[in-house]
Amino acid sequence: MPTLKVPPSTPPPTSVTTLSIHERDVNKLFRRQNPRRAAGPDSCSDIFNTSQETCHVPACFKTSTIIPVPKKPRTTGLNDFRPVALTSVVMKSFERLVLSHLKDITDPFLDPLQFAYRANRSHLDSAGTYARILCVDFSSAFNTIIPALLQEKLFQLSVPDSTCRWITDVLSDRKQHAKLGKHVSDSQSISTGSPQGCVLPPLLFSLYTNSCTSSHQSFKLLKFADDTTLIGLISGGDESAYRWEADHLVTWCNRNNLELNALKTVEMVVDFRKNSASPFILFIF
């Protein structure tokens, strides 16, 4: 009986090319999509709800590219640049949902003298014997926010605990790298501050500084984002309360990790009295 010879099987290839998806391929596919066609579920709401329930944000959503934007035409140092963070579209969408939620909860508790990022707010106009106006500038204000301290402040403003912890997770262990032209830096992990250029940080900074207020009726502490102005209406030449307010402001900043920029902090005296004396110099330590 003849022996049946089975041809040898073809050996499997020694190496198989692994699928590697590039950003340019994804962008090309997205551009080819027809937005008018019926869409199925994309599960973004499921991702976000899971993120809220677990108080955890995927690291890829927190990763950002920092673009240094000049604050003035001629730059001489790093402080002359504003670090603007570019984040994913998905993360921006998530932030907008949380932003609307935060505004609904915290608006009744916000300092009425905080005018930034709030609709239908006007400036204060008062008169007095004479006024001392201290215009305060912070050094890298958005970059010095402590997430744990912010979480405590949000909780005191009746923000739900899960939302507080979710925001803390957003600000903790963020991966970011700087990009200048064609040059890209190595990634760094950041757990302090709030990235500028994103959706939530402006409101978060307002809430972070919400407890910074004046104590005396004749003094007003006006805030517009990180621009803070102390206005003191002086009567009878008694400036003790004004100086106490200035010291209190400095103490509050030290306790909340905000550093005053002495080079950009200035004071102006408005005095229309006929026999006005030279004001005493205000020292801030």
Side-chain angles (χ1 to χ4, degrees), residues 176-197:
Q176 62 181 35
H177 57 267
K179 183 178 181 181
L180 183 60
K182 297 181 180 180
H183 303 282
V184 180
S185 71
D186 295 333
S187 293
Q188 296 286 338
S189 180
I190 305 296
S191 293
T192 303
S194 183
Q196 297 185 53

Side-chain angles (χ1 to χ4, degrees), residues 130-134 234 236-240 242-243 246 267-271 273 276-284:
Y130 71 97
R132 296 192 71 149
I133 304 172
L134 180 65
I234 312 299
D238 184 6
E239 298 184 347
S240 58
Y242 171 74
R243 294 177 179 275
E267 187 188 28
M268 177 174 62
V269 178
V270 181
D271 190 352
R273 295 176 300 168
S276 58
S278 298
F280 292 101
I281 298 176
L282 176 68
F283 293 95
I284 297 179

